[in-house]
Structure formats: C-alpha cells, structure tokens
Amino acid sequence: MSVDPNRPSAARIYDHYLGGRHNFAVDRAVAARALALIPDLPRIARANRAFLHRAVRYAASRGVLQFLDVGSGIPTEGNVHEIVPSAKVVYVDVDPTAVVHARQILAGNPSTAVIQADLHDAEQILGDPQVKALLDFTRPVCLLLVAMLHFVPDTPELRAALRTFRDALVPGSLIVLSHATGAVGDLADLYTRAGTPMVLRDRAELAGLLEGWDLVEPGVVHGPAWRPDEPVTEPESYATLAAVAVRP
C-alpha cells in the first residue's frame, strides 16, 4: 500500500482541521491556504463530527448497531466504534494513508474492520470477506457517507453504486450523509487545484442522492440543525448540509 507524502490528501487535510497528527507538510500547506479563505473550517469540521455523533446515537436508539462507514478518513478521537462501543463497524476508505493509520489504531479490536476501496466499487465492498464476516446483512445496517460525497462527481457510476448499497440493505437500515454546500465555493476551487476535486450540492441535489430512501425528520438541513443537543444559532454559517434516511 503506497502513501505519497508529496500529494495532498483530503483525509489528511481534514485530520489537520480536527487537530490530528496524521498529516504531512503538503496537507498542512493546503490547509493553511484553505484557512486563509475560510478561517472557520476547524469549527465546521468539529460541527460535522458532532453531527456524526448524533446520527450514530440516533441509529443505535433504533436498534441499529452495525455500521458501514464509507469514506471514513483517518479515525480520530470520537469515531463510530467509540460513540457506540457495542457496535460492529467497518471503515472503508480509498486513501492508503487513512487505511494504514486506521489499521494501526484499531489493531486487535474484533468489532471493527478496515478495508481499502472506492465508493464506486460497491459490490467489491459488500462482498469483501472482512465485511461479510463482521456485518449481518439480514439485519439493518447504517451506511455512513459523512463529508465524502462532495469529493464525488454526480455520474451514472455514483448513482449505480448508491443503488447497489441501498438494494443490499434490508428495511430499517439507515443512510447518513453530510455534504459541503454553497458558501465554500472558493474552497472547492482550491481543493480542485490541489488535485482533490470538490463538488458542491444544494438541498435538492443532496436529496436527489437519496432516491429509494425515506428522509428522517427534519430532512435535509444544515448540519448543526439536525436534531441538535442544544439550540444552534445561524446553522447556515457552517456551510454543510446533513440528512439521515431510512430504507423502507
């Protein structure tokens, strides 16, 4: 598994926003330029992580204790297996750095697995021996696509992969999405120039990726406004959208 320290990685840049240590100088250089454009990025990243916590707790409250986290990035403090210790979790990422660090961090944890794969390779992910050994697809599973679809263009291949995941999950399963939107256009340009193309979507476009799922209230909203633990002012300032939906 090859890790290129001279090419920026979205997972490592995000790790830097969260105060992590699993990043290289090239990632910190891109992050510095991004922070010059949007100084609130660490706050936005922490709010996105808080949404993940709420969504995972919501899934557990429905009795869903199996998670397939695609585009999981580098496991930092407060990841899925820590939010719900009784859960079984498969972390999936295409970035070799994220996979290497995840395997180091989770070594010896029998309730987790880590595989390297691309979201588009849904059949490969679902058929992976580690995935099949850990997750029981005759019972509900929560599919997590948190802060990753904005790195995936809207193509027939994406739609096909999302349908494959949906069709593999039984009724009562959940999907959790968060996505950059609107106000970070300059950031999208920066990421694209750095070799990590970024695609912004609005509410309607994000809802369109949930074909075949039933949105959970309050629907597609700004991340901090999704079932907040306490009142939030100006949730739109966080420049992210979020949604949870259930497989009917």
Side-chain angles (χ1 to χ4, degrees):
M1 190 179 302
S2 176
V3 176
D4 185 353
N6 298 309
R7 180 172 180 172
S9 152
R12 298 194 305 261
I13 294 168
Y14 190 71
D15 176 70
H16 180 67
Y17 294 152
L18 289 170
R21 293 174 287 107
H22 304 298
N23 49 77
F24 299 132
V26 66
D27 307 303
R28 294 189 289 274
V30 174
R33 282 148 53 200
L35 289 166
L37 292 171
I38 305 176
D40 270 352
L41 279 173
R43 181 180 70 116
I44 293 170
R46 290 192 297 270
N48 186 67
R49 181 50 59 98
F51 161 70
L52 170 68
H53 285 208
R54 297 194 304 277
V56 168
R57 292 198 305 267
Y58 172 77
S61 75
R62 294 177 61 107
V64 180
L65 297 174
Q66 302 186 106
F67 296 87
L68 181 59
D69 190 351
V70 181
S72 54
I74 297 170
T76 53
E77 184 177 350
N79 222 297
V80 180
H81 65 282
E82 296 174 322
I83 302 166
V84 182
S86 59
K88 294 182 178 179
V89 187
V90 176
Y91 293 106
V92 184
D93 207 285
V94 71
D95 187 324
T97 305
V99 173
V100 166
H101 285 300
R103 287 177 176 165
Q104 291 173 344
I105 293 167
L106 300 173
N109 185 332
S111 296
T112 65
V114 183
I115 67 170
Q116 183 178 13
D118 189 288
L119 167 69
H120 296 94
D121 298 324
E123 292 186 359
Q124 174 191 333
I125 293 170
L126 293 166
D128 186 279
Q130 293 184 81
V131 176
K132 295 171 71 175
L134 193 62
L135 303 183
D136 177 2
F137 287 95
T138 67
R139 297 170 49 238
V141 172
C142 181
L143 173 64
L144 298 168
L145 300 172
V146 175
M148 67 88 59
L149 284 176
H150 47 238
F151 296 114
V152 185
D154 195 359
T155 62
E157 291 75 19
L158 171 60
R159 298 287 177 152
L162 293 176
R163 285 194 301 271
T164 297
F165 282 119
R166 182 197 64 206
D167 293 346
L169 302 182
V170 300
S173 294
L174 298 168
I175 185 170
V176 174
L177 307 180
S178 70
H179 199 292
T181 191
V184 292
D186 289 344
L187 179 66
D189 292 341
L190 171 61
Y191 270 70
T192 299
R193 292 195 304 271
T196 306
M198 191 174 187
V199 181
L200 303 182
R201 293 182 174 93
D202 59 23
R203 289 175 193 257
E205 290 168 326
L206 190 57
L209 298 179
L210 292 169
E211 181 182 355
W213 298 84
D214 292 339
L215 278 168
V216 170
E217 290 294 331
V220 180
V221 296
H222 286 96
W226 195 89
R227 302 194 175 208
D229 294 325
E230 54 189 39
V232 179
T233 58
E234 299 183 347
E236 65 280 359
S237 69
Y238 290 82
T240 58
L241 295 172
V244 176
V246 62
R247 175 77 158 84

